[in-house]
Amino acid sequence: MTSPTSRTSRTSPTAQSAPRPRAVQALRTAARALGRCAVLTALVPVGVGLCVTYLASFVLWGCLGIFPLFPLATRMLRAVAGAARWASGHWSQVPVPVPYQPRPALERTLHGWFWTGHDYHRNRRFAALALTLRWMWTDPATWRDALWAISDPLVGGAIAATPVLLAAAGLYGLGQPLVPYDLPLGGWPAVLLGPVLVAGGLALSRSALHLHGRWTRSVLGPTERTRLARRVEQLTEIRLDATEAQAAELRRIERDLHDGAQARLVAVSLRLGAVAALIDRDPEHAKKVVADAQENVTQALQELRDLVRGIHPPVLAERGLADGVRALALDVPLKVDVRAELRGRAEAPVESAVYFAVSEALTNAVKHGEARHAAVELTHGAGLLRAEVTDDGRGGADPDRGSGLRGIQRRLAVFDGTLTVTSPPGGPTRLIMELPCALSSPRTSSS
């Protein structure tokens, strides 16, 4: 038997070497953030050129009447602003929603003219151009983009350049001893301060990158009025989706009952009617008919249980979300690790939505991702119930191309929940589902 002393000595080297990977990972993260700050700093001249081009489009429009340059410059500005929003969400971890109003459709009146929301035009091409100009001109996001183009080279550039300049000054100081001529006495402070400046640049890089993302969101994000208008549109879409989903679910239940349990019960009724005629004339055959009817009743009961389980699984109602997902993981044809840290129970509709969303995510991992291993993590904090599903499949999952992920989005949106998908080609695929809810005291403890 291994003594406690030997067991401790065996695990102590691992415990001593554990902080080293964390330090290396922190250094890599800081270096990556510093490199991204350097990229943002290098793009400052591009922002200046874009600002000059956009201002030139106004001058040419107002002085020379060359108005087609304005929509061209606006589209170019929106493309660059979209890249800034992408960098803010993926690099700074500060997501910035797209604030633009949808382009209105070109309507043709009964007398053949085109209505642009302001005037009538006979020519379709000219009407489309006039509609585009009005759409861009009246969209507040256009002027917020223009404000960003003017101010970002100063504000955003200064934020991103601060850690880069510190690190560059430190590297310059560290490179002084490599100069072939003798280093003057006054140059030694730069050599001594070099490691400090490099460390300072690395330490500030992540904070500067996050601050740059917050600056981008404050200018390029939607205004409160735009958010309210979009929220009304989302609630309208959610109501329509919920109504359609409810109608589809009722049709599915009706179809399953009609084609499954009801058909078997009708067959049982016919067989029992035949038993009454056979019981005196051919008792042996009557026994076989009764046995067959009993088998049909058993199958009908099983189909009813499956139908009820598809509506609301009993284990979910009795044991809660954590044990429901554990039971779900046992039925999936791949290895699934479930980790749950829930100190209570959510409302039954919320638990059901998360349960079926996790079920759909695991089904997609098997069916489309060809995964062999998956992990499910359930947590609750800051008023959000969070379910994270990760698999080692081939990746490439996109809600815009897959009905399964769109179904998860619609299911979560009913409860004001969100779905975040990270699935690069080659994997891994990571789905994060978050629903605002509060947890009550646990009704049944998890085993």
Side-chain angles (χ1 to χ4, degrees), residues 60-229:
L60 293 176
W61 188 1
C63 298
L64 303 178
I66 306 177
F67 61 87
L69 185 60
F70 170 74
L72 181 62
T74 302
R75 292 186 185 277
M76 184 170 57
L77 178 61
R78 289 190 174 188
V80 176
R85 294 186 188 94
W86 181 91
S88 178
H90 290 76
W91 288 2
S92 305
Q93 305 303 316
V94 181
V96 183
V98 178
Y100 304 118
Q101 296 177 357
R103 184 182 184 277
L106 185 62
E107 300 179 0
R108 191 167 190 169
T109 60
L110 295 177
H111 50 72
W113 289 53
F114 295 95
W115 171 247
T116 62
H118 177 69
D119 202 354
Y120 292 98
H121 296 276
R122 184 188 298 273
N123 185 276
R124 181 183 184 89
R125 185 171 299 178
F126 188 82
L129 179 60
L131 180 66
T132 301
L133 285 172
R134 178 176 174 79
W135 165 55
M136 292 180 175
W137 187 269
T138 57
D139 191 349
T142 300
W143 309 112
R144 293 177 67 85
D145 287 352
L147 175 64
W148 170 81
I150 296 173
S151 58
D152 186 69
L154 298 176
V155 181
I159 294 173
T162 300
V164 176
L165 293 177
L166 282 176
L171 292 175
Y172 174 78
L174 291 175
Q176 290 296 312
L178 302 179
V179 178
Y181 52 83
D182 293 335
L183 190 66
L185 184 62
W188 285 107
V191 177
L192 297 177
L193 289 176
V196 178
L197 294 177
V198 172
L202 290 172
L204 289 177
S205 59
R206 295 184 62 186
S207 299
L209 194 62
H210 184 72
L211 181 61
H212 189 277
R214 294 181 61 181
W215 153 254
T216 303
R217 183 173 62 183
S218 66
V219 182
L220 293 182
T223 61
E224 186 65 25
R225 180 178 180 181
T226 304
R227 280 195 292 266
L228 290 176

Side-chain angles (χ1 to χ4, degrees), residues 339-363:
R339 188 172 72 88
E341 296 180 1
L342 301 177
R343 301 184 179 221
R345 295 282 303 271
E347 295 294 330
V350 174
E351 287 188 340
S352 179
V354 175
Y355 174 88
F356 285 108
V358 171
S359 175
E360 182 67 26
L362 294 176
T363 301

Side-chain angles (χ1 to χ4, degrees), residues 326-383:
R326 291 191 182 100
L328 175 66
L330 297 176
D331 296 332
V332 179
L334 77 161
K335 184 180 178 181
V336 181
D337 296 330
V338 180
R339 188 172 72 88
E341 296 180 1
L342 301 177
R343 301 184 179 221
R345 295 282 303 271
E347 295 294 330
V350 174
E351 287 188 340
S352 179
V354 175
Y355 174 88
F356 285 108
V358 171
S359 175
E360 182 67 26
L362 294 176
T363 301
N364 289 340
V366 176
K367 185 177 179 182
H368 304 292
E370 300 178 359
R372 293 178 295 178
H373 181 269
V376 181
E377 183 177 358
L378 302 173
T379 57
H380 183 273

Side-chain angles (χ1 to χ4, degrees), residues 379-405:
T379 57
H380 183 273
L384 289 176
L385 177 60
R386 177 188 175 102
E388 182 175 335
V389 182
T390 308
D391 66 75
D392 60 353
R394 61 184 181 182
D398 187 356
D400 294 332
R401 295 183 298 174
S403 59
L405 294 178

